Amino acid sequence: MSEASNTRDGAMVALSFPEVDKPAVLIIGGLGYIGRYLALYIHQNELASEVRLVDKVLPQLAWLAPEFAEACSQDKFMQADATREQSLPKIFTPVKAAEYTYVFNCGGETRFSQDDSVYTARSVALSLTLARECARRRTPAFVEFSTGMVYKPPSSSTISSGGCTETANLKPWLKLAKHKLSAEEGLEKVRKEAEKQAGKEELKYAVLRLAHVWGEYDSGFLARCLCLARVYQEKGEEMKWLYGRELRINTVHVTDVASAAWAAALYIARMSSPTPELSAPSGRIFNVVDRGDTSQAHLAAIIHDIFNIPTGFQNSLISTFAKLNLESVVDDVNEEMLQPWADLLSEKGIKRQGPIGPYMEKELLRDYDLCLNGAKAAKVLGWRAQIAKMDVEGVRKVVESYKRQNWWP
């Protein structure tokens, strides 16, 4: 199978090939934020002979914008729970192809501050169940999505030299990240076990460790910040960040995540046998990050320009107090912000609140740098973010996407 990529209008575009050469694609969590954009990328570039989107959520309840209508159409969708082994024969049986060529795991628990049992059941178990099935079926490529928050917070010298590489020390600083790392380790165990039994590699996989993902219709990290800014704008108050200006909050646009996933699948599928690089502990792992080295100061400047509000940073004394009393600080912020947000929605006549809001999770207010080095993905996969950095124009498009969906007051 032969594939290539090019650029058009600043976006990565995969070149089309005859239908017979195109892979059959299975996306688990296909209606999630990354899953839907991956489906859109494949659809727009006509990359697959067929696509199956599996999700527990029905399309009517997934907050899909109109531009996803064809890529995530009902005929491509299957409602199923991929953690249930009895569902796997149905999930893994294509309509036309003999087997799926690429399997992408965009599923799992994405909410923060959940019990360990939730992450174990919904994320770790899902990843391992899919990995074992892919190994059994000898799927040419299995792509797993993880997070850059698995790394030990980097030193200043690491930051100045470009951020954490894939071989950096690991020390997850969120519960979600801790279980993502458990899933990564589980995949390697499945690969080794399958290889030992078969005498050759049976599980061909890659792991993508993501920076903060953002883009139109985002309901995560950036959405919280924008909703808080809207409340501060309404109140006519300065929006202040905890900790320092230089705290790294590296980012990557969701459309670039989609192209990185496709590049990883192509790379893994082409490997007839494990290379020395792939056989190394971090060989199958790739950081996915833009080139902007986003910091709190950078995001604060964008917020200032869009909302025309003063932005700044709390002094070290207040930041230290907050660090020692996170729970009460977060409770105070939520108490102060949630009612004004609800009032703004009511004044705008928005009766059904969308998937965005200013609610802050305690886990997110950590004084830890997310700073990733993306050189390996560029060198090995030939991938680079086409949206080089988060900027005012891009974030304005996010706000406009909320307005189109009637989520924004």
Side-chain angles (χ1 to χ4, degrees), residues 9-314:
D9 297 331
M12 182 172 285
V13 177
L15 300 180
S16 296
F17 288 86
E19 193 74 21
V20 68
D21 291 334
K22 294 179 180 180
V25 175
L26 174 62
I27 305 176
I28 307 299
L31 298 186
Y33 188 56
I34 292 173
R36 68 185 64 180
Y37 269 98
L38 178 57
L40 184 63
Y41 176 79
I42 294 169
H43 174 75
Q44 289 177 334
N45 293 294
E46 301 179 346
L47 296 175
S49 59
E50 63 178 292
V51 177
R52 170 68 69 201
L53 309 177
V54 176
D55 209 298
K56 292 188 291 185
V57 177
L58 289 169
Q60 299 89 330
L61 303 176
W63 302 99
L64 289 173
E67 53 260 51
F68 298 98
E70 292 186 19
C72 302
S73 60
Q74 189 66 44
D75 62 300
K76 296 183 177 74
F77 174 73
M78 176 185 292
Q79 186 179 32
D81 182 354
T83 62
R84 298 168 61 89
E85 292 193 10
Q86 57 266 44
S87 300
L88 295 181
K90 179 179 69 170
I91 290 172
F92 274 80
T93 300
V95 175
K96 295 179 287 186
E99 293 283 353
Y100 284 111
T101 321
Y102 303 159
V103 176
F104 298 91
N105 181 21
C106 304
E109 182 57 67
T110 58
R111 294 175 299 171
F112 297 102
S113 305
Q114 302 299 300
D115 290 337
D116 287 335
S117 60
V118 173
Y119 294 117
T120 299
R122 297 180 185 175
S123 294
V124 180
L126 173 64
S127 298
L128 300 190
T129 298
L130 293 173
R132 285 190 287 266
E133 189 67 12
C134 286
R136 188 180 74 81
R137 293 174 179 265
R138 300 179 181 176
T139 302
F142 173 57
V143 178
E144 172 83 3
F145 293 88
S146 186
T147 173
M149 297 177 194
V150 298
Y151 295 114
K152 180 180 179 181
S155 64
S156 57
S157 61
T158 298
I159 293 174
S160 63
S161 63
C164 295
T165 66
E166 289 79 357
T167 58
N169 291 331
L170 301 172
K171 188 178 180 181
W173 37 279
L174 294 178
K175 285 199 289 184
L176 181 150
K178 181 180 76 172
H179 289 86
K180 283 292 187 182
L181 183 57
S182 294
E184 290 184 25
E185 294 167 346
L187 294 186
E188 185 60 13
K189 290 179 182 177
V190 170
R191 185 191 70 81
K192 289 180 177 179
E193 290 169 0
E195 185 175 1
K196 184 177 180 180
Q197 293 174 6
K200 60 181 179 179
E201 185 178 49
E202 299 291 287
L203 178 62
K204 301 176 69 176
Y205 78 90
V207 173
L208 305 184
R209 289 178 177 166
L210 308 179
H212 287 299
V213 180
W214 70 283
E216 294 181 31
Y217 312 108
D218 170 62
S219 61
F221 161 77
L222 180 61
R224 288 183 178 87
C225 184
L226 294 175
C227 293
L228 285 168
R230 178 67 184 90
V231 173
Y232 278 108
Q233 181 188 49
E234 183 67 16
K235 297 173 74 171
E237 296 178 1
E238 181 180 14
M239 183 173 175
K240 285 191 173 184
W241 272 257
L242 289 172
Y243 316 127
R245 297 172 50 84
E246 299 307 315
L247 186 73
R248 295 309 198 275
I249 48 172
N250 281 187
T251 52
V252 61
H253 197 274
V254 65
T255 56
D256 284 319
V257 174
S259 66
W262 193 258
L266 286 176
Y267 175 73
I268 292 297
R270 286 171 176 164
M271 296 296 103
S272 57
S273 60
T275 62
E277 292 80 11
L278 279 178
S279 299
S282 62
R284 301 164 188 274
I285 297 168
F286 300 92
N287 292 336
V288 178
V289 61
D290 64 28
R291 302 188 297 281
D293 192 25
T294 311
S295 65
Q296 288 203 139
H298 180 74
L299 180 56
I302 291 173
I303 293 298
H304 168 75
D305 287 348
I306 292 176
F307 292 92
N308 194 29
I309 58 174
T311 57
F313 296 86
Q314 302 287 1

Side-chain angles (χ1 to χ4, degrees), residues 351-397:
K351 296 181 180 179
R352 184 192 180 203
Q353 181 172 339
I356 63 171
Y359 183 78
M360 184 59 65
E361 297 278 1
K362 180 180 71 173
E363 276 197 309
L364 293 177
L365 289 180
R366 297 291 182 89
D367 185 18
Y368 296 148
D369 290 281
L370 177 61
C371 185
L372 305 181
N373 188 314
K376 181 182 174 184
K379 179 181 178 181
V380 177
L381 303 181
W383 174 88
R384 292 185 77 195
Q386 296 303 302
I387 298 178
K389 65 179 182 179
M390 178 185 285
D391 59 15
V392 171
E393 180 184 359
V395 176
R396 283 192 193 279
K397 289 180 179 178

